[in-house]
Amino acid sequence: MFNTDALHHGHDEDPVTGAISFPIYQTSTFSQEYPGDPREYQGKRLLYARTENPTRTALEKKVACLEQAKHGIAFSSGLAAINAILLTLKSGDHIISVQDLYGGAYRQFTKIFAKFGVEFDFVDTTELDNIKQAIRSNTKMLWLETPTNPLLNVTDIRAACELVQPHDILVTVDNTFATPYLQRPLELGADLVMHSATKYLSGHCDVIQGIVLTNSDELHEEVRFIQNGVGAVPGPQDCFLTLRGLKTLGIRMERHCSNTKQIAEFLDNHPKVLKVFYPGLESHKGHALAKQQMTDFGAMISFELNADLETAKQFLTNLKYFVLAESLGGVKSMVCNPPSMTHASVEPEVRHAAGINDGLIRLSVGIENVQDLIADLEQALETI
């Protein structure tokens, strides 16, 4: 059903030409036949491309369909999507967040919104009692990543939603790692879902984009107002590329996950690897929960080497097929050292408290031949 929806549902063929690949409406504005009487397209009033663009609308409908959401609102980046969600809050509001979250989100929380009076607590949300203890009278939102970036911790979305619901606390889930193919948080009780569409949704490392999904008409109206008012919207070319990537999301994720399972088992049995963070391993604390709320375990692995930081960096530079780069979710495998790359904006003491040690390695497993990837890891491990 998912693969069929990815190809056939969420947006119609172009009604003007019948084109089966939705067109790129590369325009900044739209002509009007009479002042104040704009043209309409699929129920949208076409005035100005910041407000509405048919290519962007097609993308929003497609992702909403796959996430089983009523509404989708697209942005120029994942951080722009996060920004829009936080702009629904006000000074004095309090957010409970996962402890080991994406470094860019942490930077935005603590260096930007904290400056305007929004308050944050970062807790280990895998233990529900930590969430309960952090709730205040001014708590307005629970911010979850599951699995988390970069330690792949898993939070019980349904239980967390049930815990905070009596307190009128909104639950936002960053679903970037899992994608709607593996996990749909709205079905588990979340109010808002966001993706860095830069990653798996587009899937080819050629787009920067974000999207917010919700079933709430009120939240949709508020976030849509922010989208237009702030103006951090994606261009039609990027929307077209993500639409193209979504067509193969399901089959890409199947290959991603299959490769990742085999690599995780290889690393877990290697003498130079101290610890592997991957929910697909039965030894992982969140394995049973991930098996329950996800259809597979994803394509991200983090692990610690039995080596110091400089030796770990040597390992990274000796890899052939794993591209040393920030980002994830592309068809090519990527590798990074979060403390010096994706999480460099997080203070060392905060990183260490969350368990993000200096020698941590994060893999984004691609769709290459898995034996080639394992051989690449093996030869790089032999050099240290």
Side-chain angles (χ1 to χ4, degrees):
M1 187 66 177
F2 185 94
N3 288 333
T4 302
D5 285 342
L7 290 168
H8 293 281
H9 296 281
H11 68 77
D12 299 323
E13 296 176 357
D14 178 43
V16 178
T17 65
I20 62 171
S21 289
F22 201 84
I24 302 169
Y25 283 87
Q26 192 71 53
T27 184
S28 62
T29 192
F30 302 88
S31 65
Q32 300 183 29
E33 295 181 354
Y34 190 81
D37 186 20
R39 303 171 192 270
E40 288 199 7
Y41 178 88
Q42 296 187 347
K44 304 285 187 177
R45 301 171 77 241
L46 299 180
L47 293 162
Y48 189 61
R50 169 172 44 78
T51 307
E52 295 292 349
N53 179 284
T55 314
R56 190 174 81 221
T57 298
L59 171 66
E60 292 171 338
K61 287 185 175 182
K62 174 67 74 177
V63 181
C65 171
L66 298 180
E67 194 69 71
Q68 295 295 292
K70 189 174 181 181
H71 306 288
I73 312 104
F75 293 88
S76 56
S77 69
L79 281 173
I82 293 172
N83 177 70
I85 293 172
L86 266 63
L87 283 174
T88 65
L89 305 176
K90 65 182 185 301
S91 179
D93 287 346
H94 174 242
I95 295 177
I96 302 169
S97 169
V98 293
Q99 190 174 30
D100 64 310
L101 79 161
Y102 166 53
Y106 178 84
R107 180 178 60 234
Q108 187 173 140
F109 289 1
T110 61
K111 302 298 191 296
I112 299 176
F113 278 91
K115 186 169 63 175
F116 297 107
V118 180
E119 302 170 3
F120 298 90
D121 274 320
F122 300 91
V123 304
D124 176 4
T125 58
T126 65
E127 299 292 339
L128 294 177
D129 193 56
N130 292 334
I131 300 174
K132 184 177 180 180
Q133 295 300 322
I135 294 174
R136 308 179 195 169
S137 60
N138 61 334
T139 304
K140 301 299 181 184
M141 185 173 291
L142 172 63
W143 188 279
L144 299 177
E145 285 179 11
T146 179
T148 57
N149 181 4
L151 295 179
L152 287 303
N153 287 315
V154 179
T155 296
D156 189 330
I157 298 172
R158 189 186 299 279
C161 291
E162 291 173 353
L163 173 64
V164 303
Q165 186 179 27
H167 302 275
D168 293 323
I169 296 170
L170 295 176
V171 178
T172 298
V173 178
D174 182 337
N175 203 32
T176 300
F177 271 24
T179 81
Y181 185 71
L182 304 180
Q183 178 175 268
R184 287 189 286 274
L186 295 176
E187 294 179 352
L188 299 172
D191 301 286
L192 292 156
V193 169
M194 64 79 48
H195 290 269
S196 173
T198 308
K199 313 305 193 296
Y200 291 105
L201 299 191
S202 60
H204 293 78
C205 298
D206 51 12
V207 170
I208 298 290
Q209 197 170 86
I211 192 160
V212 175
L213 297 308
T214 185
N215 284 326
S216 165
D217 293 340
E218 182 180 355
L219 286 171
H220 168 249
E221 184 177 346
E222 190 169 8
V223 176
R224 179 73 69 181
F225 177 83
I226 292 166
Q227 179 201 48
N228 184 53
V230 174
V233 295
Q237 175 75 26
D238 286 345
C239 293
F240 171 84
L241 289 171
T242 302
L243 278 168
R244 184 185 65 175
L246 286 168
K247 294 175 182 178
T248 60
L249 176 60
I251 56 175
R252 282 189 285 110
M253 291 308 298
E254 288 174 10
R255 180 60 173 264
H256 280 301
C257 292
S258 173
N259 281 357
T260 305
K261 288 176 188 174
Q262 296 177 66
I263 290 172
E265 291 170 359
F266 163 77
L267 291 170
D268 197 41
N269 291 307
H270 200 285
K272 293 185 180 179
V273 175
L274 282 177
K275 186 174 183 180
V276 178
F277 303 88
Y278 173 64
L281 293 174
E282 291 187 5
S283 58
H284 188 281
K285 176 184 175 182
H287 174 74
L289 176 58
K291 192 173 182 179
Q292 175 185 326
Q293 70 183 17
M294 300 172 69
T295 57
D296 211 328
F297 302 105
M300 300 299 299
I301 305 173
S302 290
F303 63 97
E304 289 184 12
L305 291 171
N306 188 10
D308 59 22
L309 178 57
E310 289 308 311
T311 305
K313 288 181 177 180
Q314 176 190 340
F315 164 79
L316 292 174
T317 57
N318 286 336
L319 288 163
K320 175 182 177 183
Y321 291 123
F322 285 86
V323 180
L324 179 58
E326 299 194 13
S327 198
L328 57 102
V331 290
K332 284 186 176 182
S333 294
M334 287 178 276
V335 64
C336 77
N337 171 237
S340 63
M341 297 172 72
T342 58
H343 291 67
S345 61
V346 181
E347 298 86 351
E349 63 274 15
V350 175
R351 287 201 308 267
H352 295 152
I356 304 171
N357 297 321
D358 289 345
L360 188 71
I361 308 294
R362 191 191 73 182
L363 302 180
S364 171
V365 179
I367 64 170
E368 300 94 336
N369 181 284
V370 69
Q371 294 306 321
D372 289 336
L373 295 177
I374 291 174
D376 190 26
L377 290 166
E378 192 163 27
Q379 64 82 22
L381 286 166
E382 288 176 358
T383 66
I384 61 172

